[in-house]
Amino acid sequence: MRCAKAMAAIQGRDYVLPDDLKACAQPVLAHRLILGGLSLGSDRQAEAVLAQILEEIPVPVEKFQG
């Protein structure tokens, strides 16, 4: 979250967008994933897994009820 807040601030915003979180996800989280099997210890595999997750999970949006 701190990374996303910093990215938003650099762009002159005081709020975070889903794109800020997506941009930070791989550099911040890839080294934290522990993958089993043949991919053990592979940073590229972790980045690929995160990329797939980011593509497949839709961004939550709040529906306006007015």
Side-chain angles (χ1 to χ4, degrees), residues 4-18:
K5 286 181 179 181
M7 289 196 63
I10 288 170
Q11 295 179 15
R13 290 182 273 111
D14 61 352
Y15 54 90
V16 174
L17 296 173

Side-chain angles (χ1 to χ4, degrees), residues 3-66:
C3 180
K5 286 181 179 181
M7 289 196 63
I10 288 170
Q11 295 179 15
R13 290 182 273 111
D14 61 352
Y15 54 90
V16 174
L17 296 173
D19 288 338
D20 297 325
L21 292 168
K22 286 184 174 186
C24 294
Q26 285 190 349
V28 172
L29 298 175
H31 72 280
R32 295 177 182 257
L33 289 182
I34 299 172
L35 303 175
L38 298 175
S39 60
L40 189 62
S42 174
D43 287 339
R44 285 188 177 168
Q45 287 289 350
E47 290 173 4
V49 168
L50 280 172
Q52 183 178 358
I53 290 169
L54 291 172
E55 287 176 16
E56 290 180 7
I57 296 178
V59 174
V61 292
E62 184 178 338
K63 293 184 180 182
F64 178 73
Q65 297 180 14

